[in-house]
Every structure is written in C-alpha cells, then in structure tokens.
Amino acid sequence: MALLETLNQDMKQAMKNKDKETLSVIRMIKASIQNESIKLGKDTLTEDEELTILSREVKQRKDSLQEFKSAGRDDLVIKVENELSVVKRYMPEQLSEEELIKIVQETIQELNASSKKEMGKVMSAVMPKVKGKADGTQIKDVVLQQLK
C-alpha cells in the first residue's frame, strides 16, 4: 500500500480516537510529501522519494531532541519523542548491527578500499543500499570501524 494511502487511513483512525498528537504528526508528514511533490512537479512520488522525506522528518526530530535535552526542556523532549515514534512507524524495518556490518564489508571488498582516506567512496556506495534502513551516524561509525 502506498504511503499516502496508509497515512490517510491512519489519519482517519487518529481522528476517531481523538489522538491529537498522532494526527498532528501525520498531517506534518503529509504536508512534507505534498510540498516535495509540488517542488518536483509530480503528482505522485516514488517509494524512494517518500523514504527520503521520512528520513528527513526523523533526522529533524532527532536533532530537535538533542537540542531540547541539552537545554533541559523535558516537556519538549517528551513531545518530540512521541512524534519520533509516530514517524518511525512509517519507516522500513531498521537493519541490525550485524546486517549493516555485512553490507559495509561487502561494499569495502567491491571497492577494494583499504584506508580511512577512502571513507567517502565507501559511504557513497553504502548509502543507497541501506537508504532508510539505518541511521547515517551509525553507518559512518561502522564504516570507520571497518576501515582501519
């Protein structure tokens, strides 16, 4: 089922349940998707483009979460954590550490990379393979660990 269809169904359910927080987050995601489709001049987005938008939404909330934690704003931390959990429902299942290491190792072998100088080349090859299935920071850490 397409992401927009799922969002519309979940939005209806959130309205029925009077779940204002979930409803608000779903509306934000839908707005982001609509803005992107207008920007790209398309009626519908590909799954890859939708995934990019969801990843951006997750990243924004993670950044906000760190800012609020460092500022001691516990009220906003809880709100953003709830938003993050709603957005993550629409993301693909995340890769385990072992799966990510295996993908990185295979990519390093394909590229014959041997030093940290080649990290950019490895990262640019790994990112499309794991798009939306792993956090960028986690990927960077694994690549650094494998390129000794």
Side-chain angles (χ1 to χ4, degrees), residues 111-129:
L111 298 173
N112 292 324
S114 58
S115 70
K116 290 184 180 179
K117 291 179 184 176
E118 297 171 292
M119 182 178 170
K121 186 166 72 171
V122 174
M123 286 292 290
S124 61
V126 169
M127 290 306 281
K129 294 179 182 179

Side-chain angles (χ1 to χ4, degrees), residues 14 24 28 39 46 76 80 82 102 108 135 140 142 145:
S24 170
M28 281 189 259
K39 186 175 122 185
T46 65
L76 294 174
V80 173
N82 291 338
K102 184 176 180 225
I108 288 171
D135 180 56
K140 180 190 80 160
V142 171
Q145 179 186 6

Side-chain angles (χ1 to χ4, degrees), residues 40-56:
L40 296 174
K42 295 181 175 182
D43 288 337
T44 56
L45 299 176
T46 65
E47 212 173 295
D48 216 28
E49 292 165 336
E50 291 174 343
L51 193 58
T52 300
I53 293 166
L54 287 174
S55 297
R56 188 180 324 137

